[in-house]
Amino acid sequence: MFVAGFPAGAWGTNCYLVAPAAGEECVIVDPGHEAAQGVEELIREHRLKPVAVLLTHGHIDHVASVVPVCGAQGVPAWIHPADRYMLADPEKALGRSLGQQLMGSITVGEPDEVRELTDGALLELAGLELTVDHAPGHTEGSVTFRTPAASDIPPVLFSGDLLFAGSIGRTDLPGGDSAAIMRSLARVCLPLDDATVVLSGHGSQTTIGRERATNPYLQQAAGAAGAPAFPRRGM
């Protein structure tokens, strides 16, 4: 499997292009703030043909470029229905005061075609198989995308803002729920093989094994029902 990515815009949100190999069809995960140019450069460099945009959740730092990217490539966007309203009204998802500070001149809206994700769905796109896991807590409609294990390639989890290297997503914005994110960590992340590569919405690559051994939030999810104070990572 081929993965190319870059941190986009003011919030450094990781945008990924995923394909079976260079020169083939791909999906684009989380084209955030000012991501359109970076997406175009990777498409040209690696001779990729996008077929879909996949959104881990609806916060503006993950979806700000969804309209221009979908429009330029002529592809649909996939998002969980609980977060779909954020495409047209991201300020509501951030709270009025924070939304006014962050939105600035960003133009928002839905792309021409939006398809809705469901928990447990198997997406067969661009020659890839991606399982969708609903993972509320950071937002009500947060999801992850994971690839199956192969004999020579470890599985990959695109975790959005559910799980970071050493941390988890914040839960203090509208729709956030600290108890829910701990349940999502336990249900979605803990059953995965230690070799699973985690490509998150912010920060560096990690593995489930590393996070199981060192991440205090994932360790708490394994054995406690309560939730910690939110970390300041991601929007």
Side-chain angles (χ1 to χ4, degrees), residues 46-90:
H46 301 291
R47 310 177 315 283
L48 299 169
K49 178 178 172 48
V51 300
V53 168
L54 306 181
L55 302 173
T56 61
H57 62 289
H59 280 161
I60 191 64
D61 60 327
H62 289 251
V63 307
S65 295
V66 67
V67 170
V69 168
C70 286
Q73 304 302 326
V75 300
W78 293 74
I79 191 168
H80 191 277
D83 275 12
R84 183 170 178 171
Y85 74 93
M86 298 185 195
L87 294 176
D89 192 6

Side-chain angles (χ1 to χ4, degrees), residues 6-136:
F6 62 96
W11 301 293
T13 304
N14 291 325
C15 176
Y16 302 103
L17 280 70
V18 190
E24 299 191 20
E25 292 184 336
C26 74
V27 298
I28 301 165
V29 180
D30 287 353
H33 183 232
E34 298 180 345
Q37 182 177 343
V39 168
E40 288 284 355
E41 290 173 355
L42 288 178
I43 289 171
R44 288 195 301 270
E45 179 182 356
H46 301 291
R47 310 177 315 283
L48 299 169
K49 178 178 172 48
V51 300
V53 168
L54 306 181
L55 302 173
T56 61
H57 62 289
H59 280 161
I60 191 64
D61 60 327
H62 289 251
V63 307
S65 295
V66 67
V67 170
V69 168
C70 286
Q73 304 302 326
V75 300
W78 293 74
I79 191 168
H80 191 277
D83 275 12
R84 183 170 178 171
Y85 74 93
M86 298 185 195
L87 294 176
D89 192 6
E91 188 174 301
K92 184 176 180 181
L94 301 174
R96 184 170 180 80
S97 61
L98 183 58
Q100 289 177 336
Q101 295 174 36
L102 296 179
M103 288 301 298
S105 61
I106 296 174
T107 300
V108 297
E110 287 197 356
D112 290 340
E113 185 177 0
V114 178
R115 301 181 184 180
E116 294 187 346
L117 299 165
T118 57
D119 184 43
L122 178 63
L123 302 181
E124 296 182 340
L125 298 167
L128 304 166
E129 290 187 357
L130 297 164
T131 298
V132 179
D133 287 303
H134 185 208

Side-chain angles (χ1 to χ4, degrees), residues 3 32-33 46 50 52 62 87 105 127 130 141 143 159 164 175 182 202 214 217 222 227 232:
V3 180
H33 183 232
H46 301 291
H62 289 251
L87 294 176
S105 61
L130 297 164
V143 300
S159 65
F164 302 126
M182 299 304 286
H202 301 268
T214 63
Y217 304 103
R232 296 283 183 175

